[in-house]
Coordinates of all heavy atoms in Angstrom, one line a residue:
M1 N 10.3 -116.9 -44.2 CA 10.9 -115.7 -43.6 C 10.5 -114.4 -44.4 O 10.2 -113.4 -43.8 CB 12.5 -115.9 -43.6 CG 13.2 -114.9 -42.8 SD 12.7 -114.9 -41.1 CE 14.3 -115.0 -40.3
K2 N 10.7 -114.5 -45.7 CA 10.4 -113.4 -46.6 C 8.9 -113.0 -46.4 O 8.6 -111.8 -46.4 CB 10.7 -113.7 -48.0 CG 11.4 -112.6 -48.7 CD 11.8 -113.0 -50.1 CE 12.7 -111.9 -50.7 NZ 13.1 -112.3 -52.1
S3 N 8.0 -114.0 -46.4 CA 6.6 -113.7 -46.3 C 6.2 -113.1 -45.0 O 5.3 -112.3 -44.9 CB 5.8 -115.0 -46.6 OG 6.0 -115.9 -45.5
S4 N 6.9 -113.5 -43.9 CA 6.6 -112.8 -42.6 C 7.0 -111.4 -42.6 O 6.3 -110.5 -42.0 CB 7.2 -113.6 -41.4 OG 8.6 -113.5 -41.5
R5 N 8.1 -111.1 -43.2 CA 8.5 -109.7 -43.3 C 7.5 -108.9 -44.1 O 7.2 -107.7 -43.8 CB 9.9 -109.6 -44.0 CG 10.5 -108.2 -43.9 CD 11.8 -108.0 -44.6 NE 12.8 -108.9 -44.0 CZ 13.9 -109.3 -44.6 NH1 14.2 -108.9 -45.9 NH2 14.7 -110.1 -44.1
R6 N 7.1 -109.5 -45.2 CA 6.1 -108.8 -46.0 C 4.8 -108.6 -45.2 O 4.2 -107.5 -45.3 CB 5.8 -109.7 -47.3 CG 5.1 -108.9 -48.4 CD 4.9 -109.7 -49.6 NE 6.2 -110.1 -50.2 CZ 6.5 -111.2 -50.9 NH1 5.5 -112.1 -51.1 NH2 7.6 -111.4 -51.4
G7 N 4.4 -109.6 -44.4 CA 3.2 -109.5 -43.6 C 3.4 -108.4 -42.6 O 2.4 -107.6 -42.3
F8 N 4.6 -108.3 -42.0 CA 4.8 -107.2 -41.0 C 4.7 -105.9 -41.7 O 4.0 -104.9 -41.1 CB 6.2 -107.4 -40.4 CG 6.7 -106.2 -39.6 CD1 6.1 -106.1 -38.3 CD2 7.6 -105.3 -40.1 CE1 6.5 -105.0 -37.5 CE2 8.0 -104.2 -39.3 CZ 7.4 -104.1 -38.0
L9 N 5.3 -105.7 -42.8 CA 5.3 -104.4 -43.5 C 3.8 -104.1 -43.9 O 3.4 -102.9 -43.7 CB 6.1 -104.4 -44.8 CG 7.6 -104.4 -44.5 CD1 8.4 -104.6 -45.8 CD2 8.0 -103.0 -43.9
A10 N 3.1 -105.0 -44.3 CA 1.7 -104.8 -44.7 C 0.9 -104.3 -43.5 O 0.0 -103.4 -43.6 CB 1.1 -106.1 -45.3
S11 N 1.1 -105.0 -42.3 CA 0.4 -104.6 -41.2 C 0.8 -103.2 -40.7 O -0.1 -102.4 -40.2 CB 0.6 -105.6 -40.0 OG 1.9 -105.6 -39.6
V12 N 2.1 -102.8 -40.8 CA 2.5 -101.5 -40.4 C 1.9 -100.4 -41.3 O 1.3 -99.4 -40.9 CB 4.1 -101.4 -40.4 CG1 4.5 -99.9 -40.3 CG2 4.6 -102.2 -39.3
V13 N 2.0 -100.7 -42.6 CA 1.4 -99.8 -43.6 C -0.1 -99.6 -43.4 O -0.7 -98.5 -43.5 CB 1.7 -100.2 -45.0 CG1 0.9 -99.4 -46.1 CG2 3.2 -100.1 -45.3
G14 N -0.8 -100.7 -43.0 CA -2.2 -100.7 -42.7 C -2.5 -99.9 -41.5 O -3.6 -99.3 -41.4
L15 N -1.6 -99.7 -40.6 CA -1.8 -99.0 -39.3 C -1.8 -97.5 -39.6 O -2.4 -96.7 -38.8 CB -0.8 -99.4 -38.3 CG -1.1 -100.7 -37.5 CD1 0.1 -100.9 -36.6 CD2 -2.4 -100.6 -36.8
I16 N -1.0 -97.0 -40.5 CA -0.8 -95.6 -40.7 C -2.1 -94.8 -40.9 O -2.3 -93.9 -40.2 CB 0.2 -95.4 -41.9 CG1 1.6 -95.9 -41.4 CG2 0.3 -93.9 -42.2 CD1 2.6 -95.9 -42.5
P17 N -3.0 -95.3 -41.8 CA -4.2 -94.5 -41.9 C -5.1 -94.6 -40.7 O -5.7 -93.6 -40.3 CB -4.9 -95.2 -43.1 CG -3.9 -96.0 -43.8 CD -2.9 -96.3 -42.8
A18 N -5.0 -95.7 -39.9 CA -5.8 -95.8 -38.7 C -5.4 -94.8 -37.7 O -6.1 -94.2 -37.0 CB -5.7 -97.3 -38.2
V19 N -4.0 -94.7 -37.5 CA -3.5 -93.7 -36.5 C -3.9 -92.3 -36.9 O -4.3 -91.5 -36.1 CB -2.0 -93.9 -36.4 CG1 -1.4 -92.7 -35.6 CG2 -1.6 -95.2 -35.8
G20 N -3.8 -92.0 -38.2 CA -4.1 -90.7 -38.7 C -5.6 -90.4 -38.5 O -6.0 -89.3 -38.0
L21 N -6.4 -91.4 -38.8 CA -7.9 -91.2 -38.6 C -8.3 -91.0 -37.2 O -9.1 -90.2 -36.8 CB -8.7 -92.3 -39.3 CG -8.7 -92.3 -40.8 CD1 -9.3 -93.5 -41.3 CD2 -9.4 -91.1 -41.3
S22 N -7.6 -91.8 -36.3 CA -8.0 -91.7 -34.9 C -7.6 -90.4 -34.3 O -8.4 -89.8 -33.5 CB -7.3 -92.8 -34.1 OG -5.9 -92.6 -34.0
R23 N -6.6 -89.8 -34.8 CA -6.2 -88.4 -34.3 C -7.3 -87.4 -34.8 O -7.7 -86.6 -34.1 CB -4.8 -88.0 -34.9 CG -4.4 -86.7 -34.4 CD -2.9 -86.4 -34.8 NE -2.6 -85.0 -34.7 CZ -2.3 -84.5 -33.6 NH1 -2.3 -85.2 -32.5 NH2 -1.9 -83.2 -33.5
F24 N -7.8 -87.6 -36.0 CA -8.8 -86.7 -36.5 C -10.1 -87.0 -35.8 O -10.8 -86.0 -35.4 CB -9.0 -87.0 -38.0 CG -10.1 -86.2 -38.6 CD1 -9.9 -84.9 -38.9 CD2 -11.3 -86.8 -38.9 CE1 -11.0 -84.1 -39.5 CE2 -12.3 -86.1 -39.5 CZ -12.2 -84.8 -39.8
A25 N -10.5 -88.2 -35.6 CA -11.8 -88.5 -35.0 C -11.8 -88.1 -33.5 O -12.9 -87.7 -33.0 CB -12.0 -90.0 -35.1
Y26 N -10.7 -88.1 -32.9 CA -10.6 -87.8 -31.4 C -10.0 -86.4 -31.2 O -9.3 -86.2 -30.2 CB -9.9 -88.9 -30.6 CG -10.6 -90.2 -30.7 CD1 -10.1 -91.2 -31.5 CD2 -11.9 -90.3 -30.1 CE1 -10.8 -92.4 -31.6 CE2 -12.6 -91.5 -30.3 CZ -12.0 -92.6 -31.0 OH -12.7 -93.8 -31.1
G27 N -10.1 -85.5 -32.2 CA -9.4 -84.2 -32.1 C -9.8 -83.5 -30.9 O -8.9 -82.8 -30.2
A28 N -11.0 -83.5 -30.4 CA -11.4 -82.8 -29.2 C -10.8 -83.4 -28.0 O -10.5 -82.6 -27.0 CB -12.9 -82.9 -29.1
A29 N -10.4 -84.7 -28.0 CA -9.7 -85.3 -26.9 C -8.3 -84.7 -26.8 O -7.7 -84.9 -25.7 CB -9.7 -86.8 -27.0
D30 N -7.8 -84.2 -27.9 CA -6.4 -83.7 -27.9 C -6.4 -82.2 -27.4 O -5.7 -81.4 -27.9 CB -5.9 -83.8 -29.3 CG -4.3 -83.7 -29.3 OD1 -3.7 -83.9 -28.2 OD2 -3.8 -83.4 -30.4
E31 N -7.3 -81.9 -26.5 CA -7.4 -80.5 -26.0 C -6.2 -80.1 -25.2 O -5.7 -80.9 -24.4 CB -8.7 -80.3 -25.2 CG -8.9 -78.9 -24.9 CD -10.3 -78.7 -24.2 OE1 -11.2 -79.5 -24.5 OE2 -10.4 -77.8 -23.4
L32 N -5.7 -78.9 -25.4 CA -4.6 -78.3 -24.7 C -4.9 -78.2 -23.2 O -5.9 -77.6 -22.9 CB -4.2 -77.0 -25.3 CG -3.0 -76.3 -24.7 CD1 -1.7 -77.0 -25.0 CD2 -3.0 -74.8 -25.2
A33 N -4.1 -78.7 -22.4 CA -4.3 -78.5 -20.9 C -3.5 -77.3 -20.5 O -2.5 -77.0 -21.0 CB -3.7 -79.8 -20.2
E34 N -4.1 -76.6 -19.5 CA -3.4 -75.4 -19.0 C -2.1 -75.7 -18.3 O -1.2 -74.9 -18.3 CB -4.3 -74.7 -17.9 CG -5.6 -74.1 -18.5 CD -6.5 -73.5 -17.5 OE1 -6.3 -73.7 -16.2 OE2 -7.4 -72.7 -17.8
S35 N -1.9 -77.0 -17.9 CA -0.7 -77.4 -17.3 C 0.4 -77.8 -18.3 O 1.5 -78.1 -17.9 CB -1.0 -78.6 -16.4 OG -1.5 -79.7 -17.1
D36 N 0.0 -77.8 -19.6 CA 1.0 -78.1 -20.6 C 2.1 -77.1 -20.6 O 1.8 -75.9 -20.5 CB 0.3 -78.2 -22.0 CG 1.3 -78.7 -23.1 OD1 2.1 -77.9 -23.5 OD2 1.1 -79.8 -23.5
P37 N 3.4 -77.4 -20.7 CA 4.5 -76.4 -20.6 C 4.3 -75.3 -21.7 O 4.6 -74.1 -21.4 CB 5.7 -77.2 -20.9 CG 5.4 -78.6 -20.4 CD 3.9 -78.8 -20.7
S38 N 3.8 -75.6 -22.9 CA 3.7 -74.6 -23.9 C 2.5 -73.7 -23.5 O 2.5 -72.5 -23.8 CB 3.4 -75.2 -25.3 OG 2.3 -76.0 -25.3
A39 N 1.5 -74.2 -22.9 CA 0.3 -73.4 -22.4 C 0.8 -72.5 -21.3 O 0.4 -71.3 -21.3 CB -0.8 -74.3 -21.9
I40 N 1.6 -73.0 -20.4 CA 2.1 -72.1 -19.3 C 3.0 -71.0 -19.9 O 2.8 -69.9 -19.5 CB 2.9 -73.0 -18.3 CG1 2.0 -74.0 -17.6 CG2 3.7 -72.1 -17.3 CD1 2.7 -75.0 -16.7
A41 N 3.8 -71.3 -20.8 CA 4.7 -70.3 -21.4 C 3.9 -69.2 -22.0 O 4.4 -68.0 -22.0 CB 5.6 -71.0 -22.4
L42 N 2.8 -69.5 -22.6 CA 2.0 -68.4 -23.3 C 0.8 -68.0 -22.5 O 0.0 -67.2 -22.9 CB 1.5 -68.9 -24.7 CG 2.6 -69.0 -25.8 CD1 2.1 -69.5 -27.1 CD2 3.2 -67.6 -26.0
G43 N 0.8 -68.5 -21.2 CA -0.3 -68.0 -20.3 C -1.7 -68.4 -20.7 O -2.7 -67.8 -20.4
Y44 N -1.8 -69.6 -21.4 CA -3.1 -70.0 -21.9 C -4.0 -70.4 -20.7 O -3.6 -71.0 -19.8 CB -3.0 -71.3 -22.8 CG -4.3 -71.9 -23.1 CD1 -5.2 -71.3 -24.1 CD2 -4.8 -73.1 -22.5 CE1 -6.4 -71.9 -24.4 CE2 -6.0 -73.6 -22.7 CZ -6.8 -73.0 -23.7 OH -8.0 -73.6 -24.0
R45 N -5.2 -69.9 -20.8 CA -6.3 -70.3 -19.8 C -7.5 -70.6 -20.6 O -7.9 -69.9 -21.6 CB -6.6 -69.1 -18.9 CG -5.5 -68.9 -17.9 CD -5.4 -70.1 -17.0 NE -4.2 -70.1 -16.1 CZ -4.2 -69.7 -14.8 NH1 -5.3 -69.4 -14.3 NH2 -3.1 -69.8 -14.1
A46 N -8.2 -71.7 -20.3 CA -9.4 -72.1 -21.0 C -10.5 -71.1 -20.7 O -11.4 -70.9 -21.6 CB -9.9 -73.5 -20.5
D47 N -10.4 -70.3 -19.6 CA -11.4 -69.2 -19.3 C -10.6 -68.0 -19.3 O -9.8 -67.7 -18.4 CB -12.0 -69.5 -18.0 CG -13.0 -68.4 -17.5 OD1 -13.0 -67.3 -18.2 OD2 -13.6 -68.6 -16.5
A48 N -10.8 -67.1 -20.3 CA -9.9 -65.9 -20.5 C -10.0 -65.0 -19.3 O -9.0 -64.3 -19.0 CB -10.4 -65.2 -21.8
T49 N -11.1 -65.0 -18.6 CA -11.2 -64.1 -17.4 C -10.2 -64.6 -16.3 O -10.0 -63.8 -15.3 CB -12.6 -64.1 -16.8 OG1 -13.0 -65.4 -16.3 CG2 -13.6 -63.7 -17.9
K50 N -9.6 -65.8 -16.4 CA -8.7 -66.3 -15.4 C -7.2 -66.0 -15.8 O -6.3 -66.5 -15.1 CB -8.9 -67.8 -15.2 CG -10.3 -68.2 -14.8 CD -10.6 -67.9 -13.3 CE -11.8 -68.6 -12.8 NZ -13.1 -68.3 -13.3
V51 N -7.0 -65.3 -16.8 CA -5.6 -65.0 -17.3 C -4.9 -64.2 -16.2 O -5.5 -63.3 -15.5 CB -5.6 -64.1 -18.6 CG1 -4.2 -63.6 -18.9 CG2 -6.1 -65.0 -19.7
E52 N -3.6 -64.6 -16.0 CA -2.8 -63.9 -15.0 C -2.4 -62.5 -15.6 O -1.4 -62.4 -16.3 CB -1.6 -64.7 -14.6 CG -1.8 -65.9 -13.8 CD -0.5 -66.6 -13.5 OE1 0.2 -66.1 -12.7 OE2 -0.3 -67.7 -14.1
K53 N -3.2 -61.5 -15.3 CA -3.1 -60.2 -15.9 C -1.7 -59.5 -15.5 O -1.2 -58.8 -16.4 CB -4.3 -59.3 -15.5 CG -5.6 -59.9 -16.1 CD -6.8 -59.3 -15.4 CE -8.1 -60.0 -15.8 NZ -8.3 -61.3 -15.2
A54 N -1.2 -59.8 -14.4 CA 0.1 -59.2 -14.0 C 1.2 -59.8 -14.9 O 2.1 -59.0 -15.2 CB 0.3 -59.5 -12.5
K55 N 1.1 -61.0 -15.2 CA 2.1 -61.7 -16.0 C 1.9 -61.5 -17.5 O 2.9 -61.5 -18.3 CB 2.1 -63.2 -15.8 CG 3.1 -63.7 -14.8 CD 2.9 -65.2 -14.6 CE 4.2 -66.0 -14.8 NZ 4.0 -67.4 -14.5
F56 N 0.7 -61.3 -17.9 CA 0.3 -61.1 -19.3 C -0.5 -59.9 -19.5 O -1.7 -59.9 -19.7 CB -0.4 -62.4 -19.8 CG 0.4 -63.6 -19.7 CD1 0.3 -64.5 -18.6 CD2 1.4 -63.9 -20.6 CE1 1.1 -65.6 -18.5 CE2 2.2 -65.0 -20.5 CZ 2.1 -65.9 -19.4
P57 N 0.1 -58.7 -19.4 CA -0.6 -57.4 -19.4 C -1.2 -57.1 -20.8 O -2.0 -56.2 -20.9 CB 0.5 -56.4 -19.1 CG 1.8 -57.0 -19.4 CD 1.6 -58.5 -19.1
K58 N -0.8 -57.9 -21.8 CA -1.4 -57.8 -23.2 C -2.9 -58.1 -23.2 O -3.6 -57.6 -24.0 CB -0.6 -58.7 -24.1 CG -1.0 -58.6 -25.6 CD -0.2 -59.6 -26.4 CE -0.9 -59.9 -27.7 NZ -0.2 -60.9 -28.5
Y59 N -3.3 -58.9 -22.2 CA -4.7 -59.3 -22.2 C -5.6 -58.1 -21.9 O -5.3 -57.4 -21.0 CB -4.9 -60.4 -21.1 CG -6.4 -60.7 -20.9 CD1 -7.1 -61.5 -21.8 CD2 -7.1 -60.2 -19.8 CE1 -8.5 -61.7 -21.6 CE2 -8.4 -60.5 -19.6 CZ -9.1 -61.2 -20.5 OH -10.4 -61.4 -20.3
L60 N -6.7 -58.0 -22.7 CA -7.7 -57.0 -22.5 C -9.0 -57.7 -22.3 O -9.3 -58.7 -23.0 CB -7.8 -56.0 -23.7 CG -6.5 -55.2 -24.0 CD1 -6.8 -54.4 -25.3 CD2 -6.2 -54.3 -22.8
A61 N -9.8 -57.3 -21.4 CA -11.1 -57.8 -21.1 C -11.9 -57.9 -22.4 O -11.9 -57.0 -23.2 CB -11.9 -57.0 -20.1
G62 N -12.5 -59.0 -22.6 CA -13.4 -59.2 -23.8 C -12.6 -60.1 -24.9 O -13.3 -60.6 -25.8
Q63 N -11.3 -60.2 -24.8 CA -10.6 -61.0 -25.8 C -10.7 -62.4 -25.4 O -10.8 -62.8 -24.3 CB -9.1 -60.6 -25.7 CG -8.8 -59.2 -26.2 CD -7.3 -58.9 -26.1 OE1 -6.5 -59.6 -25.4 NE2 -6.8 -57.9 -26.8
S64 N -10.8 -63.3 -26.5 CA -10.9 -64.7 -26.3 C -10.5 -65.4 -27.6 O -10.5 -64.8 -28.7 CB -12.3 -65.2 -25.9 OG -13.2 -65.0 -26.9
C65 N -10.2 -66.7 -27.5 CA -9.8 -67.5 -28.7 C -10.8 -67.3 -29.8 O -10.4 -67.3 -31.0 CB -9.6 -68.9 -28.3 SG -8.2 -69.3 -27.2
S66 N -12.1 -67.3 -29.5 CA -13.1 -67.2 -30.5 C -13.0 -66.0 -31.4 O -13.6 -66.0 -32.5 CB -14.5 -67.4 -29.9 OG -14.8 -66.2 -29.1
T67 N -12.3 -64.9 -30.9 CA -12.1 -63.7 -31.7 C -10.7 -63.6 -32.2 O -10.3 -62.5 -32.7 CB -12.6 -62.5 -31.0 OG1 -11.8 -62.3 -29.8 CG2 -14.1 -62.6 -30.6
C68 N -9.9 -64.6 -32.0 CA -8.5 -64.6 -32.4 C -8.3 -65.1 -33.8 O -9.0 -66.1 -34.2 CB -7.7 -65.4 -31.5 SG -5.9 -65.6 -31.9
Q69 N -7.4 -64.5 -34.6 CA -7.3 -64.9 -36.0 C -6.7 -66.3 -36.1 O -6.8 -66.9 -37.2 CB -6.4 -63.9 -36.8 CG -5.0 -63.8 -36.3 CD -4.1 -62.9 -37.2 OE1 -3.8 -63.2 -38.3 NE2 -3.9 -61.7 -36.6
F70 N -6.1 -66.8 -35.1 CA -5.5 -68.2 -35.1 C -6.5 -69.3 -34.8 O -6.3 -70.5 -35.1 CB -4.3 -68.3 -34.2 CG -3.2 -67.4 -34.5 CD1 -2.9 -66.3 -33.7 CD2 -2.5 -67.5 -35.7 CE1 -1.8 -65.5 -34.0 CE2 -1.5 -66.7 -36.1 CZ -1.1 -65.6 -35.2
Y71 N -7.7 -68.9 -34.3 CA -8.7 -69.9 -33.9 C -9.3 -70.5 -35.2 O -9.8 -69.8 -36.1 CB -9.8 -69.2 -33.2 CG -10.8 -70.1 -32.4 CD1 -10.3 -71.0 -31.4 CD2 -12.1 -70.1 -32.7 CE1 -11.2 -71.8 -30.7 CE2 -13.0 -70.9 -32.0 CZ -12.5 -71.8 -31.0 OH -13.4 -72.6 -30.3
Q72 N -9.2 -71.9 -35.3 CA -9.5 -72.5 -36.6 C -11.0 -72.9 -36.7 O -11.4 -73.5 -37.7 CB -8.7 -73.8 -36.7 CG -7.2 -73.6 -36.7 CD -6.7 -72.8 -37.9 OE1 -6.8 -73.2 -39.1 NE2 -6.3 -71.5 -37.7
G73 N -11.8 -72.5 -35.7 CA -13.2 -72.8 -35.8 C -14.0 -71.5 -36.1 O -13.4 -70.4 -36.2
S74 N -15.3 -71.6 -36.1 CA -16.1 -70.4 -36.2 C -16.2 -69.8 -34.8 O -16.0 -70.5 -33.8 CB -17.5 -70.8 -36.7 OG -18.2 -71.5 -35.8
A75 N -16.6 -68.6 -34.7 CA -16.7 -67.9 -33.4 C -17.7 -68.6 -32.4 O -17.5 -68.5 -31.2 CB -17.2 -66.5 -33.6
S76 N -18.6 -69.4 -33.0 CA -19.6 -70.1 -32.1 C -19.1 -71.5 -31.6 O -19.7 -72.1 -30.8 CB -20.9 -70.2 -32.8 OG -20.8 -70.9 -34.0
D77 N -18.0 -72.0 -32.2 CA -17.5 -73.3 -31.8 C -16.9 -73.2 -30.4 O -16.1 -72.3 -30.1 CB -16.4 -73.8 -32.8 CG -17.0 -74.2 -34.1 OD1 -18.2 -74.5 -34.2 OD2 -16.2 -74.2 -35.1
Q78 N -17.2 -74.2 -29.6 CA -16.7 -74.2 -28.2 C -15.2 -74.6 -28.1 O -14.5 -74.1 -27.2 CB -17.5 -75.1 -27.3 CG -18.9 -74.6 -27.1 CD -19.6 -75.4 -26.0 OE1 -19.2 -76.5 -25.6 NE2 -20.7 -74.8 -25.4
V79 N -14.8 -75.4 -29.1 CA -13.4 -75.9 -29.2 C -13.0 -75.9 -30.6 O -13.8 -76.2 -31.5 CB -13.3 -77.3 -28.6 CG1 -11.9 -77.8 -28.6 CG2 -13.9 -77.4 -27.2
A80 N -11.7 -75.5 -30.8 CA -11.2 -75.6 -32.2 C -9.7 -75.6 -32.1 O -9.1 -75.3 -31.0 CB -11.6 -74.4 -33.0
A81 N -9.0 -76.0 -33.2 CA -7.6 -76.1 -33.2 C -6.9 -74.8 -33.2 O -7.5 -73.8 -33.7 CB -7.2 -76.9 -34.4
C82 N -5.7 -74.7 -32.7 CA -4.9 -73.5 -32.7 C -3.5 -73.9 -33.2 O -2.8 -74.7 -32.6 CB -4.8 -72.9 -31.4 SG -3.7 -71.5 -31.3
P83 N -3.0 -73.2 -34.3 CA -1.7 -73.6 -34.8 C -0.6 -73.2 -33.9 O 0.5 -73.8 -34.0 CB -1.6 -72.8 -36.2 CG -2.7 -71.8 -36.1 CD -3.7 -72.3 -35.1
L84 N -0.8 -72.3 -33.0 CA 0.3 -71.9 -32.1 C 0.6 -73.0 -31.1 O 1.7 -73.1 -30.5 CB -0.1 -70.7 -31.3 CG 0.5 -69.3 -31.8 CD1 -0.1 -69.0 -33.1 CD2 0.3 -68.2 -30.8
F85 N -0.4 -74.0 -31.0 CA -0.1 -75.1 -30.1 C -0.2 -76.4 -30.9 O -0.7 -77.4 -30.5 CB -1.2 -75.1 -29.0 CG -1.0 -74.0 -28.0 CD1 -1.9 -72.9 -28.1 CD2 0.0 -74.0 -27.1 CE1 -1.7 -71.8 -27.2 CE2 0.2 -72.9 -26.3 CZ -0.7 -71.8 -26.3
N86 N 0.5 -76.3 -32.1 CA 0.6 -77.5 -32.9 C -0.7 -78.1 -33.3 O -0.8 -79.4 -33.4 CB 1.6 -78.5 -32.2 CG 2.2 -79.4 -33.2 OD1 2.4 -79.1 -34.4 ND2 2.7 -80.6 -32.7
G87 N -1.7 -77.3 -33.5 CA -3.0 -77.8 -33.9 C -3.9 -78.5 -32.8 O -4.9 -79.0 -33.1
R88 N -3.4 -78.4 -31.6 CA -4.2 -78.9 -30.5 C -5.4 -78.0 -30.3 O -5.4 -76.8 -30.6 CB -3.4 -79.1 -29.2 CG -2.3 -80.1 -29.5 CD -1.4 -80.2 -28.3 NE -2.0 -80.9 -27.2 CZ -1.5 -81.1 -26.0 NH1 -0.3 -80.5 -25.7 NH2 -2.1 -81.7 -25.1
S89 N -6.5 -78.6 -29.7 CA -7.7 -77.8 -29.5 C -7.6 -76.9 -28.3 O -7.0 -77.2 -27.3 CB -8.9 -78.8 -29.3 OG -9.0 -79.6 -30.4
V90 N -8.2 -75.7 -28.5 CA -8.3 -74.7 -27.4 C -9.7 -74.3 -27.2 O -10.5 -74.5 -28.2 CB -7.4 -73.5 -27.6 CG1 -5.9 -73.9 -27.7 CG2 -7.8 -72.8 -28.9
R91 N -10.1 -73.8 -26.1 CA -11.5 -73.4 -25.9 C -11.7 -72.0 -26.5 O -10.9 -71.1 -26.5 CB -11.7 -73.2 -24.3 CG -11.7 -74.5 -23.6 CD -13.1 -75.1 -23.5 NE -13.0 -76.5 -23.5 CZ -14.1 -77.3 -23.6 NH1 -15.3 -76.8 -23.7 NH2 -14.0 -78.6 -23.5
G92 N -12.9 -71.9 -27.1 CA -13.3 -70.6 -27.6 C -13.3 -69.5 -26.6 O -13.1 -68.3 -26.8
S93 N -13.5 -69.9 -25.3 CA -13.6 -69.0 -24.2 C -12.2 -68.7 -23.7 O -12.0 -67.9 -22.7 CB -14.4 -69.6 -23.1 OG -13.9 -70.8 -22.7
G94 N -11.1 -69.3 -24.3 CA -9.8 -69.2 -23.7 C -9.0 -68.0 -24.2 O -9.6 -67.2 -25.0
W95 N -7.8 -68.0 -23.9 CA -6.9 -66.9 -24.3 C -5.4 -67.3 -24.0 O -5.2 -68.0 -23.1 CB -7.2 -65.6 -23.5 CG -6.4 -64.4 -24.0 CD1 -6.8 -63.5 -24.9 CD2 -5.1 -63.9 -23.5 NE1 -5.9 -62.5 -25.1 CE2 -4.8 -62.7 -24.2 CE3 -4.2 -64.4 -22.6 CZ2 -3.6 -62.0 -24.0 CZ3 -3.0 -63.7 -22.4 CH2 -2.7 -62.5 -23.1
C96 N -4.5 -66.8 -24.9 CA -3.1 -66.9 -24.6 C -2.4 -65.7 -25.1 O -3.0 -64.8 -25.9 CB -2.5 -68.2 -25.3 SG -1.9 -68.0 -27.0
N97 N -1.1 -65.5 -24.8 CA -0.4 -64.3 -25.1 C -0.1 -64.2 -26.6 O 0.3 -63.1 -27.1 CB 0.9 -64.3 -24.4 CG 1.4 -62.9 -24.1 OD1 0.7 -62.0 -23.9 ND2 2.7 -62.7 -24.3
G98 N -0.5 -65.2 -27.4 CA -0.4 -65.1 -28.9 C -1.6 -64.4 -29.5 O -1.7 -64.4 -30.8
Y99 N -2.5 -64.0 -28.7 CA -3.8 -63.5 -29.2 C -3.5 -62.4 -30.3 O -2.7 -61.5 -30.1 CB -4.6 -62.9 -28.1 CG -5.9 -62.3 -28.6 CD1 -7.0 -63.1 -28.8 CD2 -6.0 -61.0 -28.8 CE1 -8.2 -62.6 -29.2 CE2 -7.2 -60.4 -29.3 CZ -8.3 -61.2 -29.5 OH -9.5 -60.6 -29.9
A100 N -4.3 -62.5 -31.4 CA -4.3 -61.5 -32.4 C -5.7 -61.4 -32.9 O -6.2 -62.4 -33.4 CB -3.3 -61.8 -33.5
P101 N -6.3 -60.2 -32.8 CA -7.7 -60.1 -33.2 C -7.9 -60.4 -34.7 O -7.0 -60.1 -35.6 CB -8.1 -58.6 -32.9 CG -6.8 -57.9 -32.9 CD -5.7 -58.9 -32.5
K102 N -9.1 -61.0 -35.0 CA -9.4 -61.2 -36.4 C -9.6 -59.8 -37.1 O -10.1 -58.9 -36.4 CB -10.7 -62.0 -36.5 CG -10.6 -63.4 -36.2 CD -11.9 -64.2 -36.3 CE -11.7 -65.6 -36.0 NZ -12.9 -66.4 -35.8
S103 N -9.1 -59.7 -38.3 CA -9.3 -58.4 -39.0 C -10.6 -58.3 -39.6 O -11.3 -59.2 -39.8 CB -8.2 -58.2 -40.0 OG -8.1 -59.3 -40.9
Ligands
SF4_1 S1 -3.3 -68.0 -30.4 FE1 -5.4 -67.2 -30.3 S2 -6.7 -69.0 -30.7 FE2 -4.6 -69.8 -30.1 S3 -4.7 -70.1 -27.9 FE3 -3.9 -68.1 -28.3 S4 -5.7 -66.7 -28.2 FE4 -6.4 -68.8 -28.4

């Protein structure tokens, strides 16, 4: 009995790094969908030109995730993590109401 519990614990502990690594390895698969409630709340669009300008008047033509200070990739990266969406990936061509230009 004791050894099966030990075996169970060993297998659970062994899974932790695998889960963590799979999240890292498939980071791009964890891309934020426009239909996600948090994306809707902040008006996120993968294509900044499709932003609902009447609802989000802060948007100015030419702004995009790739020039936002929260964008975790380089300006040339097509996809990168955004801390406003819990580290999920957003499109460099995207935009949301949290936009803040890089200084
Ligand atoms: S905070 Fe910036 S990088 Fe993140 S989704 Fe909004 S505009 Fe894009």
Side-chain angles (χ1 to χ4, degrees):
M1 190 63 129
K2 221 175 191 182
S3 66
S4 67
R5 187 181 304 158
R6 195 175 300 147
F8 171 75
L9 286 174
S11 64
V12 169
V13 170
L15 282 176
I16 292 170
V19 170
L21 287 175
S22 68
R23 184 172 165 77
F24 176 76
Y26 300 107
D30 197 20
E31 187 172 333
L32 179 69
E34 291 179 346
S35 59
D36 187 285
S38 60
I40 292 171
L42 286 176
Y44 171 77
R45 288 296 169 100
D47 178 351
T49 64
K50 303 281 196 301
V51 168
E52 288 182 71
K53 296 162 188 80
K55 263 177 128 176
F56 300 97
K58 182 181 161 186
Y59 171 75
L60 297 175
Q63 293 178 341
S64 70
C65 293
S66 63
T67 61
C68 175
Q69 66 176 286
F70 297 113
Y71 194 61
Q72 301 296 294
S74 68
S76 60
D77 288 339
Q78 291 194 341
V79 179
C82 174
L84 263 67
F85 294 104
N86 203 23
R88 295 176 74 188
S89 298
V90 296
R91 292 268 151 188
S93 58
W95 186 91
C96 87
N97 206 39
Y99 178 85
K102 285 183 179 166
S103 53

